Amino acid sequence: MKTFKPLLLIALLILASCSDDDDGTPPVINDEEVITTLTVTLTPNGGGPDIVLTSRDLDGDGPGAAVITGGTLAANTTYTGVVQALNELEDPAEDITEEVAEEDDEHQFFFQAISGANITTMYTDFDGDGNPLGINLTLTTGDASNGTLRVTLRHLLDKNAAGVSEGDITNAGGDTDVEVDYPIIIQ
Amino acid sequence: MRSIILILLFIGTSTTYSQQCNFTLKGNIIDFHDGKPLVDASIVVIKDGNILKSTTSDSKGKYLIKGLCIGKVELYVSHTECNSKTIPLEIKGNTTRKISLEHHLENLNEIVITGEKREQGISKATSVQTLKTADIEQFSDASIGDALKEISGVSSLNTGSTIVKPIIQGLNSSRILIITNNVRLQDQEWGIEHAPNVDLNTADRLTVIKGSGALQYGGDAIGGVVLAKPKALATKDTVFGKTILSGSSNGRGGSVSSSVDKGFNNGIGLRVQGTYKRFGDFRAPDYFLTNTGTEQKAASFNFGINKFLYGAELYYSYYDTEIGILQAADLGNVTDLIRAINSPVPEIIEDFSFDIGLPRQEVKHHLIKLNSYLRLKRLGKLGFQYSFQFNDRQEFDNRSFIDDDIPVVDLELTTHNLDLLLEVNNLDNAKISTGVSAIYQENFADPTTGVRRVIPDYEKYGLGVFGGIAHDVTDDLLIDIGARVDYTRIDAQKFYRGTFFDDRGYNIDFADIIVEQVGSQILVNPVFDYTTFSATLGLAYNINETLDLQLNYGLASRPPNPSELFSEGLNQASVAFELGDLRIEEETSNKIALTLKGSLFNGRLNFNVTPYINLINDYIVLQPSEDGVITTSRGAFQEFEYIQNDARLVGFDVDATYDYNDYFQFKTSFSYLRGDDTEAERPIINIPPANWFNTISYNNKKLNNLSLQLKSEAVFEQTRFPDNNFIARTVVNNEFVDELVDVSTPPPGYHLLHFNSSIQFNLSKLTKLELGFAVDNIFNTNYRQYLNRFRFFADELGRNFKLRIKLNY
């Protein structure tokens, strides 16, 4: 009968714990890993005003579409580019670029010129293994053209797969953190 | 209430033993009608509510009980085919007593269910199928979903190879009730990738009701009911135990499961049981399935006093599982999905490992049950049960910018159940059962995940009242009628994205539930009440000595689950957006099933044919939304929404066994099912394809019970499926291309061959050893299953050699 008492205690404890304890409203959760805002700031190497490409989707995964502002670039010009990723669901907005830089071996930005945009890019920052990261880049335009610049951030990708270190996303694998298509006019 | 439990726990703890106890009681037990001896009748000697002795009658109907004391006792005599009887008796010395029992409704029972015991709460007019201990033990290292597939008409919905959910005649998840040890499992069963949190090794019998025929447990069993029942506790002085060791080549792991029972003569019984299971990465024929290892720890403890007049039991079970999820199925957006679908082999294949990395699920389930019963003179049996369940589900994934040790999903579901049941069995040709059951449930979504809640915090209250009567119209006809009314209230605290709230038109229809605006989100407090009605009608008709007919009609009604109401975002497991709808109401099913059971050629051929039709009004189903694809900052995703359409499921299950001679047996089972959305006029998704199982077995009782089995498993291609394909914009060679993503077409059919064998050795009078050897998928066939959500990414398991050692002691 010795086992009996602890069992009773357990049973009573459970019953006692039935009572209602939380009637307050639950705390709000803002998705912490969403990139709501992606900007690419392009500074012409020969001087002149910055071109800022922006994408803002303030309802995250909600039905509201992102507001995307592309840019007009000068033909045959080289720009120094910096990418910034923000989570504006948090207050104050969280700069996710910092976390990308901290986990640089797990992340990489990709820049794809699509539908005829005469753009080439070059990575100018690298992780500890010498693989590209892509927060900083050099962007060079060719002749006048229209098209799209797609900027993608992947994590847990295979940086050693064929072409990945040259910025080719095809074999990168991994998960997409952000993917934005900016309309570009080159004139 | 506490005091009631205290009293119930204390009842019957005092025991009395007598001194001069060397008298015998013997006699015959005969059939009242024809005077024939009754074999295997049970005789229990009861004194002051305590079971003193028990025995069963031999092949000539004779019984003998030794060691009785002088004094007044009661004999409780029962037999499966007869009415039980209680006989007062005074022992003055050695006594001889002839006992006659009357054939009763159990007569029908015996034929209807071919001698199987009925589970509590199920009418004899309800068609059931049961897996017994020996069948279950073969799945000691697998899951309840794997074991249930042995029953025709039961298939499974898998996520990989280790998350296995049962499907009964085409329906799964919230449409199936799983009852373990008389408690309805509350383990977040709504999710397609949430497998039942039950250690199969706790079950001694698994019974499937393909319909709503168990109103005692709920009126919402649109699909069916699974009852996992442990062995009854010992009620006399005894100690015994069982250990099963299993090992598998595929997954390079296995399990050990052990249980020990102790019984005392005063009716006190005790059982301790535990299981440990561990597997590494499983292997498809051509590659390892990286990150598919699992670990499971489970234990249960059962303590009770079972006397004839009253009894009480305390049961506790703990289930803890960690399940790795195929790494190659962890995808970002539609671009990743297309890439993975087009890849003939998984994108990530690594060497074998025991590591359970990311993604993975960690689930813990606690269940505590207190129950008691009291037999009331000239009335019947009164039962009381309280149960508590706590289910903690955590899902881990590769996190972009947060520590991977913080789960992306962390839900805690707490459930309290209170049940009262009265069974009236003193009527001549009818049995009445009635009861009340109450539920309080609370879901808590841990906010520390940093991910918006998949399921909101909610409280659920429910009250159900049910009653039923089973009436013998004639010796050959039994009618069973039951009805249940349930009231359910869901009171939730849900944050919506403001844009979503408006987009769904909730700002107009549900303006009154808004509590406050918090940043870009809106907190709402929806309170929904559902009153649902369910009913069953069963007829069992004994056509002649070899044929029985059962007709079952079931009306079942199910309120929407939290997922159907509140979903609002990405389901990582399906790489798709799933949107619930606050406007969803209950779905109602009308199911008619006919069961024809027969036995021909002197009982050598036994068959069972069950055609059925299930008409469901307002069937809740996920369907591609009008937009089809949603674009987010992470790229595009396919978008589904829950809608309600009328549905019709029509099918049949056939089972047959033929005993060729004493050694060879042939067994076959075939299932076919059509499911249609009758409003949208298209097939329903995830309907199991036709399947045909054939088994040849050889059993030799003289040769250490040697058993050899060859089983063929043929699964046909599902040709009826809804077209859920969608067009996604992708980039090929630096140009945008609209690509058709085929997420609909089922994989081709397949045929597998399995081998199973076992042999038994009696090591001593009480110790029995059984060795089992089995090979699954003998030919290492590559195949994919329509009902595996990972069919786009990887093949099913390849060949697997299994060894099983069972020791009874």
Side-chain angles (χ1 to χ4, degrees):
Chain A
M1 282 304 94
K2 267 184 184 168
T3 50
F4 224 82
K5 271 186 184 167
L7 282 174
L8 261 178
L9 275 175
I10 292 168
L12 288 176
L13 272 174
I14 293 150
L15 287 173
S17 68
C18 298
S19 60
D20 232 11
D21 44 356
D22 48 344
D23 277 323
T25 55
V28 68
I29 305 174
N30 287 308
D31 281 333
E32 287 176 26
E33 294 180 285
V34 172
I35 296 173
T36 58
T37 309
L38 189 73
T39 57
V40 182
T41 307
L42 298 168
T43 310
N45 284 2
D50 287 354
I51 312 286
V52 184
L53 313 176
T54 60
S55 165
R56 288 183 93 198
D57 188 358
L58 290 184
D59 73 340
D61 284 351
V67 179
I68 298 172
T69 313
T72 304
L73 304 178
N76 300 309
T77 307
T78 302
Y79 295 84
T80 299
V82 179
V83 182
Q84 188 186 38
L86 297 178
N87 179 5
E88 294 193 74
L89 291 174
E90 301 217 36
D91 189 26
E94 193 186 355
D95 188 352
I96 289 183
T97 336
E98 290 171 12
E99 291 168 57
V100 174
E102 270 170 38
E103 297 177 3
D104 54 6
D105 56 327
E106 288 184 4
H107 289 94
Q108 185 173 339
F109 281 100
F110 292 88
F111 306 91
Q112 283 170 282
I114 304 169
S115 321
N118 275 326
I119 290 174
T120 53
T121 55
M122 248 176 62
Y123 291 102
T124 55
D125 53 358
F126 300 89
D127 66 18
D129 304 322
N131 291 315
L133 176 59
I135 294 175
N136 297 296
L137 69 151
T138 306
L139 185 147
T140 309
T141 58
D143 294 339
S145 54
N146 292 341
T148 300
L149 176 67
R150 170 174 284 194
V151 180
T152 308
L153 173 62
R154 287 265 174 95
H155 82 264
L156 285 177
L157 69 166
D158 182 1
K159 287 198 175 193
N160 297 316
V164 173
S165 59
E166 282 80 51
D168 182 356
I169 198 169
T170 314
N171 300 314
D175 277 6
T176 303
D177 291 325
V178 72
E179 184 183 282
V180 176
D181 294 336
Y182 297 103
I184 298 291
I185 299 167
I186 299 170
Q187 60 187 32
Chain B
M1 182 160 110
R2 287 174 201 180
S3 54
I4 294 174
I5 287 164
L6 279 175
I7 291 164
L8 289 171
L9 281 175
F10 278 121
I11 282 175
T13 52
S14 61
T15 46
T16 48
Y17 291 99
S18 306
Q19 328 75 2
Q20 273 268 305
C21 299
N22 51 7
F23 300 109
T24 60
L25 170 68
K26 63 179 182 179
N28 294 336
I29 301 181
I30 57 162
D31 185 328
F32 176 79
H33 295 290
D34 55 15
K36 284 184 181 164
L38 286 171
V39 184
D40 276 342
S42 147
I43 306 102
V44 182
V45 182
I46 298 157
K47 189 174 173 71
D48 302 328
N50 296 314
I51 294 170
L52 292 183
K53 301 274 175 186
S54 66
T55 186
T56 50
S57 58
D58 65 13
S59 59
K60 288 172 184 160
K62 288 184 176 171
Y63 71 93
L64 172 68
I65 295 172
K66 290 178 181 171
L68 289 173
C69 324
I70 284 186
K72 283 181 182 172
V73 295
E74 278 184 319
L75 293 185
Y76 177 69
V77 191
S78 59
H79 187 264
T80 50
E81 290 176 38
C82 301
N83 255 347
S84 304
K85 204 169 179 179
T86 307
I87 305 161
L89 185 72
E90 188 166 356
I91 304 284
K92 298 172 180 169
N94 290 337
T95 311
T96 304
R97 176 80 190 228
K98 189 176 179 180
I99 300 164
S100 59
L101 289 182
E102 191 179 359
H103 258 93
H104 192 38
L105 85 208
E106 312 291 337
N107 179 17
L108 188 64
N109 173 20
E110 198 267 335
I111 296 157
V112 170
I113 55 151
T114 54
E116 288 181 7
K117 274 198 301 192
R118 304 301 292 190
E119 304 295 346
Q120 190 191 342
I122 307 168
S123 151
K124 288 159 196 77
T126 304
S127 173
V128 303
Q129 276 173 292
T130 300
L131 286 184
K132 288 178 236 166
T133 323
D135 305 317
I136 296 170
E137 282 170 352
Q138 293 185 15
F139 292 89
S140 181
D141 61 352
S143 71
I144 190 166
D146 292 314
L148 287 169
K149 280 199 276 189
E150 292 293 294
I151 293 175
S152 69
V154 182
S155 40
S156 69
L157 183 59
N158 293 18
T159 302
S161 58
T162 44
I163 299 176
V164 185
K165 295 198 77 159
I167 300 180
I168 300 176
Q169 291 181 338
L171 300 170
N172 62 73
S173 298
S174 294
R175 296 184 177 104
I176 291 180
L177 317 187
I178 295 181
I179 315 295
T180 69
N181 197 1
N182 215 37
V183 177
R184 179 170 173 181
L185 197 64
Q186 298 283 352
D187 61 345
Q188 312 187 34
E189 76 294 337
W190 50 72
I192 271 173
E193 71 283 16
H194 300 181
N197 299 142
V198 182
D199 175 17
L200 182 64
N201 293 295
T202 57
D204 184 55
R205 298 163 67 81
L206 278 177
T207 301
V208 171
I209 306 167
K210 298 168 184 173
S212 59
L215 291 180
Q216 181 191 337
Y217 301 108
D220 50 350
I222 307 254
V225 184
V226 175
L227 292 139
K229 201 181 177 190
K231 207 168 49 200
L233 285 177
T235 52
K236 55 183 183 182
D237 190 12
T238 180
V239 183
F240 58 91
K242 178 171 94 172
T243 298
I244 302 175
L245 268 166
S246 313
S248 289
S249 65
N250 201 335
R252 299 184 196 173
S255 73
V256 53
S257 182
S258 234
S259 71
V260 179
D261 274 69
K262 169 79 186 133
F264 302 89
N265 269 339
N266 53 11
I268 291 179
L270 178 71
R271 175 181 307 134
V272 180
Q273 179 269 344
T275 302
Y276 180 76
K277 195 192 285 187
R278 183 78 170 96
F279 287 96
D281 291 338
F282 288 93
R283 194 180 156 85
D286 300 329
Y287 43 80
F288 282 107
L289 300 163
T290 298
N291 197 43
T292 55
T294 60
E295 181 173 25
Q296 181 199 305
K297 291 170 254 181
S300 69
F301 173 79
N302 203 351
F303 175 81
I305 305 149
N306 285 295
K307 308 207 177 194
F308 177 67
L309 289 173
Y310 51 81
E313 265 185 44
L314 174 71
Y315 176 72
Y316 169 71
S317 77
Y318 174 68
Y319 178 87
D320 180 335
T321 186
E322 195 176 335
I323 305 174
I325 293 176
L326 184 71
Q327 208 177 328
D330 189 21
L331 303 164
N333 59 17
V334 80
T335 314
D336 303 338
L337 178 66
I338 293 170
R339 212 179 59 221
I341 290 177
N342 292 340
S343 171
V345 298
E347 287 194 292
I348 301 163
I349 298 173
E350 287 169 10
D351 289 340
F352 174 86
S353 163
F354 276 107
D355 291 343
I356 303 171
L358 297 167
R360 70 171 182 276
Q361 301 181 350
E362 290 181 14
V363 188
K364 294 175 179 66
H365 191 86
H366 297 263
L367 188 158
I368 297 169
K369 181 187 89 160
L370 270 169
N371 71 305
S372 63
Y373 62 86
L374 203 58
R375 274 183 218 273
L376 306 171
K377 266 185 192 163
R378 291 185 294 280
L379 185 66
K381 191 175 170 187
L382 184 67
F384 160 88
Q385 178 173 301
Y386 165 77
S387 66
F388 168 85
Q389 292 176 77
F390 179 71
N391 187 269
D392 184 7
R393 159 171 288 270
Q394 294 184 319
E395 295 178 6
F396 296 85
D397 206 340
N398 281 306
R399 307 205 63 162
S400 308
F401 316 111
I402 292 181
D403 190 349
D404 288 339
D405 292 336
I406 298 172
V408 289
V409 172
D410 191 347
L411 296 170
E412 294 173 6
L413 186 71
T414 310
T415 311
H416 302 267
N417 269 104
L418 204 58
D419 298 286
L420 276 174
L421 177 70
L422 176 67
E423 289 175 323
V424 179
N425 52 17
N426 71 329
L427 304 171
D428 269 350
N429 47 14
K431 202 169 179 179
I432 296 172
S433 63
T434 179
V436 186
S437 91
I439 180 174
Y440 170 74
Q441 185 171 76
E442 187 184 32
N443 183 61
F444 170 69
D446 194 327
T448 57
T449 54
V451 179
R452 293 179 69 254
R453 299 167 177 87
V454 181
I455 301 289
D457 288 4
Y458 73 82
E459 289 178 299
K460 179 171 147 182
Y461 311 82
L463 190 68
V465 181
F466 61 91
I469 178 164
H471 175 60
D472 304 311
V473 182
T474 69
D475 276 355
D476 293 329
L477 179 65
L478 175 77
I479 294 186
D480 180 277
I481 301 170
R484 177 173 172 127
V485 180
D486 278 280
Y487 164 77
T488 310
R489 162 170 283 197
I490 293 181
D491 182 343
Q493 308 258 10
K494 159 89 181 156
F495 284 99
Y496 278 105
R497 291 186 185 95
T499 49
F500 180 84
F501 197 75
D502 295 351
D503 192 60
R504 304 292 284 181
Y506 292 165
N507 53 341
I508 297 157
D509 293 355
F510 295 98
D512 55 326
I513 62 170
I514 295 174
V515 178
E516 58 181 329
Q517 174 102 27
V518 185
S520 61
Q521 299 189 47
I522 296 173
L523 174 64
V524 297
N525 177 211
V527 180
F528 295 126
D529 293 315
Y530 305 93
T531 304
T532 48
F533 184 72
S534 43
T536 54
L537 172 68
L539 287 175
Y541 181 59
N542 187 7
I543 301 170
N544 59 37
E545 288 192 353
T546 56
L547 273 183
D548 283 285
L549 194 67
Q550 279 167 287
L551 180 68
N552 287 105
Y553 163 74
L555 167 71
S557 199
R558 180 179 74 87
N561 66 34
S563 177
E564 291 156 346
L565 288 171
F566 303 119
S567 291
E568 188 210 347
L570 181 64
N571 183 336
Q572 194 64 58
S574 54
V575 204
F577 269 58
E578 293 177 2
L579 310 179
D581 197 327
L582 293 178
R583 300 175 187 92
I584 285 185
E585 305 206 348
E586 61 265 27
E587 61 181 18
T588 307
S589 124
N590 286 278
K591 186 173 186 176
I592 299 173
L594 196 69
T595 305
L596 184 69
K597 284 187 183 194
S599 173
L600 298 173
F601 308 120
N602 291 328
R604 293 216 316 234
L605 176 71
N606 286 285
F607 64 89
N608 188 336
V609 183
T610 311
Y612 59 90
I613 179 163
N614 194 352
L615 300 169
I616 309 174
N617 290 329
D618 299 324
Y619 179 74
I620 304 170
V621 63
L622 257 186
Q623 192 165 287
S625 71
E626 268 179 38
D627 299 338
V629 172
I630 181 171
T631 307
T632 74
S633 61
R634 275 169 295 159
F637 293 89
Q638 193 178 15
E639 186 178 80
F640 289 86
E641 60 186 353
Y642 284 102
I643 56 142
Q644 290 189 279
N645 275 350
D646 291 345
R648 181 185 59 221
L649 289 97
V650 187
F652 64 91
D653 301 331
V654 182
D655 296 278
T657 57
Y658 180 71
D659 296 319
Y660 183 75
N661 56 30
D662 284 350
Y663 305 108
F664 284 96
Q665 192 194 52
F666 176 71
K667 188 175 151 190
T668 186
S669 71
F670 181 80
S671 292
Y672 176 76
L673 168 60
R674 272 175 86 110
D676 287 282
D677 179 331
T678 51
E679 269 180 68
E681 293 186 337
R682 59 182 217 157
I684 294 175
I685 196 168
N686 286 346
I687 292 295
N691 58 69
W692 191 18
F693 294 90
N694 287 293
T695 310
I696 298 171
S697 52
Y698 169 85
N699 286 291
N700 192 338
K701 290 208 165 73
K702 290 171 204 151
L703 207 71
N704 292 85
N705 247 331
L706 175 70
S707 162
L708 304 170
Q709 270 182 23
L710 200 59
K711 181 176 178 178
S712 135
E713 176 181 349
V715 177
F716 298 85
E717 181 174 335
Q718 179 56 279
T719 53
R720 305 186 76 254
F721 55 92
D723 181 359
N724 284 353
N725 294 345
F726 65 102
I727 306 269
R729 201 179 186 210
T730 59
V731 174
V732 178
N733 293 329
N734 294 330
E735 293 294 335
F736 285 114
V737 177
D738 282 339
E739 196 167 340
L740 179 77
V741 190
D742 184 356
V743 289
S744 310
T745 312
Y750 55 88
H751 178 252
L752 307 175
L753 215 55
H754 313 293
F755 171 76
N756 193 5
S757 64
S758 68
I759 189 161
Q760 288 175 355
F761 302 95
N762 290 323
L763 300 183
S764 74
K765 204 176 167 190
L766 293 169
T767 316
K768 201 165 74 181
L769 174 74
E770 186 183 306
L771 296 177
F773 172 70
V775 188
D776 287 348
N777 192 358
I778 294 172
F779 295 112
N780 213 16
T781 306
N782 287 290
Y783 70 106
R784 296 189 182 197
Q785 289 186 63
Y786 176 49
L787 291 168
N788 190 334
R789 288 153 52 83
F790 289 171
R791 70 174 197 265
F792 302 115
F793 314 126
D795 286 344
E796 297 286 334
L797 301 194
R799 189 187 294 127
N800 186 10
F801 295 98
K802 300 193 290 188
L803 208 58
R804 193 177 68 248
I805 302 167
K806 185 180 90 165
L807 203 59
N808 283 86
Y809 40 89

